[in-house]
Amino acid sequence: MPHRTLSDSGVASHRRPLLDSIDSPRDLRALSESQLPEVASELRNFLIECVSQTGGHLAAGLGVVELTLGLHYVFDTPADRIVWDVGHQAYPHKILTGRRDRMCTLRQKDGVSGFPKRSESEYDTFGVGHSSTSISAALGMALAAKQKGERRTVIAVIGDGALSAGMAFEALNHAGSMDIDLVVILNDNEMSISPPVGAISNHLARLLSGKVYTSMREGSKSALAGMPHLRHLVGRWEEHMKGMLMPSTLFEELGFNYIGPIDGHDMGSVVRTLRNIKDMPGQRLLHIVTKKGRGYEPAEGQPTTYHGVTPFDQRTGELRKGKSKGPSYTQIFGGWLCDAAAEDARLVGITPAMCEGSGLTAFSKRFPDRFFDVGIAEQHAVTLAAGLACEGLKPVVAIYSSFLQRAYDQLIHDVALQNLDVTFAVDRGGLVGADGATHAGSFDLSFTRPIPNMIIMAPADENECRQMLKTGFEHEGPAMVRYPRGSGPGVAIDPKAPALPIGRGEVVRRGQRLAVLAFGSMVAPALEAAESVDATVANMRFVKPLDTDLILELADSHEILFTVEENAIAGGAGSAVAETLSSHGRVVRCIHLGLPDRYIDHADHREQLAACGLDASGILASLRAELESAGWTQQDDGEPARRHA
Ligand SMILES: Cc1ncc(C[n+]2csc(CCOP(=O)(O)OP(=O)(O)O)c2C)c(N)n1
Ligand SMILES: CC(=O)[C@@H](O)[C@H](O)COP(=O)(O)O
Ligand SMILES: [Mg+2]
């Protein structure tokens, strides 16, 4: 049993003599194998302590404690490469690879990233955050090693949820036909964020129940050798051999040597199996069975809730909720979706594995036959919607902005080019805080704007979000509403509020000389900034079609225009305004505020906005700088006045 002490806060904290001696995997490898279970216990407790204070991804990391220890114990990392899929389960890996003392800075400004990051450590072989890239990247590394004549093992660790994506199968398909040494570890916890879906998941379940024949090639037999608890599997194999009626595993059909399933929490089995497969040649896939949230009762019981958490009370597991300003945009969307579905039987809702995060839980319960969780398969989600629309249904695709990047061709080729009636509820548009650059919705306005037929809206507040969803849904063609993570300024919802006239913005503050053309989440800080310098502010509402009349009117009645958006400046809404001005022959100074041409690291969302000059004081500083350089000074009453020569 681990020793327990009480910290200042009264929270039980565990002594960790072994873990504290591990500053790198070399230290771990100096321990005896019999000490590993104790290290696992210390590591698990430390992980819970850390995440209870910082928040972050918890349940997945708890499930791979033994696997992580086994990998760093058996393989010669960092010379051997471990490629984590998604990377949300990599906190134990970070703790063992020299970042233990910095884990209290997890996902905070200048702190440890929540995902593997090449610039952070030589042990982070591949930057991740988005799912299902590990096998492709690992295959690339293995091929590079072969080309360069270097001997190393490359190991991809992929979850059963991540395995549902096309990319994973593209990589298996390629790898399976190559003359290459590659290890794929399938971490099967029978969970994605929510319960996994689909036929692959059913296949894995059949593998676990022993209903699929494993061919037990020589390699697999030797990998499992010396494991008495796995004898029953061999017995089953013999039974299957007699009948020869059972299908073999999908992985064997794809050219992999399938090994497993083994218990991923049995430290001894994990180490022995990894040792055995270490020197096997060719492509091998080790199937390990783990429990998401393992070792922490609240997380084992509610793996979806504890997938990603706010700070929590370690003793009770109770999550500490921040002060809520009101419903989040996600909740506004979820409420609208249910109301719209009740009114229109043609509405169907689609999510690529983000039911809870996208606000679809209530809809999935109320309208189970009209709800499609397609797994981590963004491309499929979008083309599925196109097919449904072809037959007269009205699909709503709920998708995070950064994950929509995966489905760009499907958006263009399958939906927009055919002008199909699909509504996109694009959540997490803009910076997202602690998840950092991988998850930031920095580009959606830039990459959707050039697509003909698209209608693109960005709400300034909650009620407008609902109105825009209604507008997009009623429009018979592709439309998207992009809204940020979290809550808005707190405007009450009017469920009866009408749809908006397409392509019309509105002036929300009349000032003089300076006009700020604000998009979506930037309307509120722009208004705040404008008060101090008496600037005009327009809520542009539509990125496409733009309100050309309004832009020209503002250009003609002001001396300097500003555009402001929570999207990359490059190619974004401000660029669209500039194109409109120049195509109408307006020569007016126009300053573009938005995300700069670099990636914004993890930090609190407010810190991120401030770093980009997109909070009220940053916007005000930009307005003032222009006033200054134009030779305008500010009078005491806040009105700008021409400086006397
Ligand atoms: C392309 C993409 N889509 C969706 C997500 C969101 N996401 C992160 S983890 C996860 C579930 C992954 O399940 P699995 O691979 O089984 O890992 P587990 O959490 O069970 O360990 C999802 C859907 C993502 N990171 N990337
Ligand atoms: C790892 C991953 O991709 C998700 O868990 C993501 O971190 C969720 O983000 P939200 O917290 O914004 O739903
Ligand atoms: Mg899983």
Side-chain angles (χ1 to χ4, degrees), residues 595-642:
L595 302 179
D597 190 15
R598 64 183 162 82
Y599 294 100
I600 307 299
D601 274 339
H602 51 276
D604 182 83
H605 183 228
R606 274 169 312 184
E607 291 171 326
Q608 291 179 323
L609 287 179
C612 299
L614 291 178
D615 56 354
S617 65
I619 295 171
L620 179 58
S622 294
L623 300 180
R624 284 202 166 124
E626 276 304 307
L627 286 172
E628 285 279 312
S629 65
W632 295 92
T633 52
Q634 228 177 302
Q635 293 174 349
D636 289 345
D637 59 5
E639 300 249 321
R642 177 72 74 184

Side-chain angles (χ1 to χ4, degrees), residues 159-162 187-193 196 292:
D160 54 320
N187 173 37
D188 187 356
N189 54 20
E190 295 187 84
M191 279 302 282
S192 187
I193 292 181
K292 205 162 170 172

Side-chain angles (χ1 to χ4, degrees), residues 57 86 88 115 129 193 307 400 403 428 435 439 485:
H57 291 100
V86 185
H88 63 312
F115 299 105
I193 292 181
H307 171 86
Y400 284 19
F403 302 151
R428 276 50 168 191
D435 270 347
H439 286 61
R485 190 175 197 276

Side-chain angles (χ1 to χ4, degrees), residues 66-331:
E66 287 80 9
L67 174 65
T68 310
L69 283 168
L71 285 169
H72 283 294
Y73 193 70
V74 170
F75 290 95
D76 181 24
T77 55
D80 289 332
R81 314 284 198 227
I82 305 173
V83 184
W84 297 100
D85 206 283
V86 185
H88 63 312
Q89 76 292 62
Y91 301 177
H93 157 88
K94 294 199 174 213
I95 294 166
L96 294 175
T97 54
R99 286 163 275 184
R100 187 187 64 246
D101 294 342
R102 295 186 61 223
M103 286 305 283
C104 54
T105 68
L106 187 69
R107 301 182 357 133
Q108 292 155 30
K109 188 171 182 302
D110 302 323
V112 171
S113 165
F115 299 105
K117 200 170 177 186
R118 280 169 63 82
S119 57
E120 196 177 281
S121 165
E122 62 180 330
Y123 292 91
D124 292 3
T125 60
F126 197 66
V128 264
H130 288 202
S131 129
S132 318
T133 59
S134 61
I135 306 175
S136 300
L139 178 59
M141 290 174 194
L143 286 169
K146 191 175 170 190
Q147 295 242 339
K148 296 197 295 180
E150 293 169 358
R151 276 194 64 77
R152 63 165 50 97
T153 308
V154 184
I155 306 137
V157 183
I158 187 164
D160 54 320
L163 191 68
S164 64
M167 263 200 89
F169 284 92
E170 291 168 28
L172 286 173
N173 179 51
H174 185 201
S177 67
M178 307 289 287
D179 173 20
I180 195 76
D181 288 335
L182 179 70
V183 176
V184 175
I185 296 183
L186 169 58
N187 173 37
D188 187 356
N189 54 20
E190 295 187 84
M191 279 302 282
S192 187
I193 292 181
S194 11
V197 294
I200 301 294
S201 160
N202 295 342
H203 179 69
L204 295 181
R206 285 205 308 279
L207 276 175
L208 298 192
S209 69
K211 286 191 182 139
V212 175
Y213 152 67
T214 60
S215 71
M216 286 290 190
R217 280 181 276 165
E218 285 312 309
S220 330
K221 276 193 257 179
S222 61
L224 296 177
M227 297 195 197
H229 57 286
L230 294 175
R231 271 198 209 117
H232 69 284
L233 279 179
V234 177
R236 275 202 192 115
W237 166 72
E238 281 165 353
E239 255 172 55
H240 296 324
M241 283 296 282
K242 282 184 212 145
M244 288 300 274
L245 290 173
M246 303 303 288
S248 65
T249 78
L250 178 66
F251 309 106
E252 290 173 303
E253 298 296 333
L254 288 171
F256 277 72
N257 199 344
Y258 172 85
I259 298 138
I262 69 160
D263 177 353
H265 297 305
D266 179 335
M267 199 64 250
S269 277
V270 169
V271 168
R272 277 194 298 282
T273 313
L274 291 176
R275 277 204 182 116
N276 289 346
I277 65 171
K278 186 175 176 181
D279 299 318
M280 279 166 58
Q283 307 85 330
R284 49 262 200 226
L285 185 138
L286 170 62
H287 186 179
I288 75 163
V289 182
T290 60
K291 188 156 185 52
K292 205 162 170 172
R294 169 79 175 200
Y296 187 54
E297 215 178 287
E300 281 195 27
Q302 291 176 275
T304 300
T305 304
Y306 287 82
H307 171 86
V309 287
T310 55
F312 60 93
D313 181 329
Q314 203 184 318
R315 263 181 307 211
T316 62
E318 193 185 332
L319 303 179
R320 298 206 172 97
K321 300 273 178 220
K323 271 191 224 128
S324 172
K325 288 202 304 180
S328 64
Y329 280 105
T330 305
Q331 289 169 324

